[in-house]
């Protein structure tokens, strides 16, 4: 019998939603460490970055958008492929769903397994899961490296600044306003999920974000960062977690320890510093497993399935 409830199954408390105006054009939909959604309002259209997990949950985002604008929601941008970010897309009835080609490739390769895996991990985050249409959320436009959209006079750059949380990570950047929507490359007071991550690349990708000098940043989870100091704090905190995790796992691998021993030691090392962060206990088994994989025999993340999730949890927490 596991000592800890699997993943986030014990997390049943609703969170307080905030809809924060960052500028004339940018808003952050945040909910106390639940997955965030970004909103960009251009001269002639609205862009939504990450959709919420179900169409019913997305309706709350739409309601808040409609309180500030009646412009059509034409674009949905997927910062990456994870189900909790993309399965609400149908609610917006967008003209286009935009993602990096790498994200598209991951949907082809592992979208179905990821969908089943995530719904099992996060019952509360998939409220009204029956409202998700059958199948997957497919991009209608893909790009590699950089894509620029003009919402009237407002420039929106979609950028791949490197691998980190996944290989397809995309940020949305408003160069005129110095506002960045990071997806799960950056978290704030929330534990980075790294089960599909590239630990070697992630710190450099964060440096590439910092090089843009964003003055405001909407992380994947946590409150909107609304000063350059807060942005720096979010970047530094995420980077420290990834580097501390890798250092701890690397020490165990070098000592020839098995995954369970490495997990227990890494948990003990990181818990005092990061244990208060949202979803720490959920993320740690997945994060350590992926880091161990990367440092031993799997340069690319293995596919998580609902069954693999349970087996891993039993091995590490049972």
């Amino acid at each position: 019998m596991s000592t800890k409830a699997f993943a986030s199954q014990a997390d049943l408390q609703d969170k307080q939603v905030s809809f924060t105006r960052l500028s004339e054009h940018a808003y952050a939909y945040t909910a106390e460490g639940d997955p965030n959604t970004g909103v960009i309002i251009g001269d002639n259209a609205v862009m939504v970055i990450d959709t919420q997990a179900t169409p019913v949950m997305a309706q709350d985002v739409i309601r808040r958008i409609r309180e500030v604008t009646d412009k059509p929601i034409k674009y949905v941008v997927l910062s990456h492929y994870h189900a909790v970010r993309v399965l609400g897309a149908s609610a917006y009835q967008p003209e286009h769903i935009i993602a990096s080609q790498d994200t598209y490739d991951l949907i082809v390769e592992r979208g179905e397994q990821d969908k089943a895996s995530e719904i099992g991990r996060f019952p509360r985050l998939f409220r009204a899961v029956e409202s998700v249409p059958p199948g997957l959320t497919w991009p209608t436009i893909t790009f590699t490296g950089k894509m620029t959209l003009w919402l009237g006079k407002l420039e929106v750059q979609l950028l791949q600044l490197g691998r980190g949380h996944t290989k397809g990570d995309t940020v949305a950047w408003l160069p005129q306003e110095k506002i960045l929507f990071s997806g799960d490359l950056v978290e704030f007071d929330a534990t980075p999920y790294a089960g599909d991550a590239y630990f070697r690349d992630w710190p450099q990708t964060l440096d590439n974000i910092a090089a843009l000098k964003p003055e405001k940043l909407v992380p994947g989870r946590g409150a909107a960062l609304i000063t350059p100091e807060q942005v720096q704090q979010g970047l530094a905190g995420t980077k420290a977690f990834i580097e501390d995790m890798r250092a701890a796992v690397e020490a165990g691998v070098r000592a020839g320890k098995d995954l369970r021993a490495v997990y227990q030691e890494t948990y003990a090392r990181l818990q005092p510093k990061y244990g208060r962060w949202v979803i720490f206990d959920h993320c740690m088994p997945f994060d350590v497993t992926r880091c161990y994989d990367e440092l031993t025999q799997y340069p690319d993340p293995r596919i998580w399935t609902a069954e693999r999730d349970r087996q891993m949890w039993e091995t590490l927490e049972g």
Side-chain angles (χ1 to χ4, degrees):
M1 200 37 208
S2 288
T3 50
K4 286 180 186 165
F6 171 68
S8 283
Q9 291 206 339
D11 172 9
L12 300 172
Q13 198 167 359
D14 280 338
K15 308 296 187 216
Q16 183 69 41
V17 170
S18 302
F19 193 57
T20 308
R21 185 179 192 265
L22 305 175
S23 73
E24 185 190 347
H25 300 107
Y27 290 79
Y29 180 97
T30 64
E32 298 186 304
D34 275 1
N36 293 338
T37 291
V39 176
I40 297 172
I41 300 173
D43 299 332
N44 51 10
V46 178
M47 174 184 284
V48 168
I49 299 127
D50 292 332
T51 72
Q52 297 293 303
T54 67
V56 165
M57 295 177 76
Q59 289 298 338
D60 190 55
V61 181
I62 293 168
R63 182 173 66 77
R64 288 161 196 271
I65 292 170
R66 287 294 163 245
E67 287 171 359
V68 295
T69 182
D70 58 2
K71 290 169 186 168
I73 301 170
K74 285 191 180 177
Y75 305 102
V76 163
V77 173
L78 310 181
S79 68
H80 60 289
Y81 74 96
H82 286 150
V84 78
R85 298 287 174 190
V86 310
L87 291 181
S90 62
Y92 302 93
Q93 300 182 310
E95 283 181 24
H96 288 293
I97 297 174
I98 307 172
S100 66
Q101 183 61 41
D102 288 322
T103 290
Y104 187 94
D105 294 344
L106 287 165
I107 297 169
V108 171
E109 178 190 47
R110 56 184 66 196
E112 284 291 355
Q113 296 98 317
D114 176 73
K115 181 177 179 178
S117 159
E118 288 194 58
I119 289 170
R121 294 183 201 180
F122 291 116
R124 182 178 57 77
L125 288 186
F126 286 91
R127 191 164 68 245
V129 71
E130 66 283 354
S131 66
V132 177
L136 301 172
T137 301
W138 290 103
T140 60
I141 297 175
T142 61
F143 72 97
T144 301
K146 178 179 179 180
M147 177 179 179
T148 302
L149 290 98
W150 294 89
L151 305 186
K153 291 193 175 68
L154 182 70
E155 181 180 2
V156 182
Q157 295 179 5
L158 304 180
L159 305 169
Q160 283 185 279
L161 296 174
R163 302 185 301 188
H165 178 69
T166 72
K167 81 168 183 183
D169 293 329
T170 295
V171 305
W173 172 235
L174 300 179
Q176 294 152 325
E177 299 187 337
K178 298 276 190 204
I179 297 172
L180 187 126
F181 299 83
S182 70
D184 284 321
L185 279 169
V186 183
E187 310 292 18
F188 187 67
D189 277 348
T191 310
Y193 172 75
D196 303 296
Y198 288 85
F199 279 85
R200 286 189 175 91
D201 297 14
W202 200 335
Q204 180 60 54
T205 302
L206 292 168
D207 288 346
N208 296 343
I209 290 175
L212 292 171
K213 296 191 166 56
E215 292 172 9
K216 297 177 184 178
L217 187 149
V218 180
R221 289 173 178 263
L225 308 175
I226 57 174
T227 66
E229 296 71 31
Q230 287 181 352
V231 172
Q232 172 52 36
Q233 214 181 328
L235 289 166
T238 304
K239 187 176 182 181
F241 178 88
I242 296 303
E243 291 181 337
D244 289 352
M245 164 82 61
R246 186 169 174 212
V249 174
E250 205 160 20
V253 168
R254 272 204 307 270
K257 295 179 174 168
D258 69 6
L259 176 59
R260 185 178 167 104
V262 169
Y263 172 68
Q264 289 169 341
E265 288 179 9
T266 302
Y267 186 98
R269 248 172 93 170
L270 270 61
Q271 201 278 334
K273 188 170 172 186
Y274 304 108
R276 63 177 183 81
W277 282 3
V278 173
I279 63 169
F280 180 80
D281 282 345
H282 172 150
C283 290
M284 284 297 288
F286 295 97
D287 291 7
V288 173
T289 300
R290 170 57 196 145
C291 193
Y292 187 92
D293 272 5
E294 184 177 286
L295 291 165
T296 52
Q297 55 179 332
Y298 298 101
D300 294 300
R302 290 190 283 157
I303 296 173
W304 291 102
T305 63
E307 187 186 8
R308 184 182 168 219
D309 289 358
R310 292 286 185 172
Q311 288 171 342
M312 178 277 296
W313 196 268
E314 193 54 45
T315 300
L316 299 189
E317 293 283 5

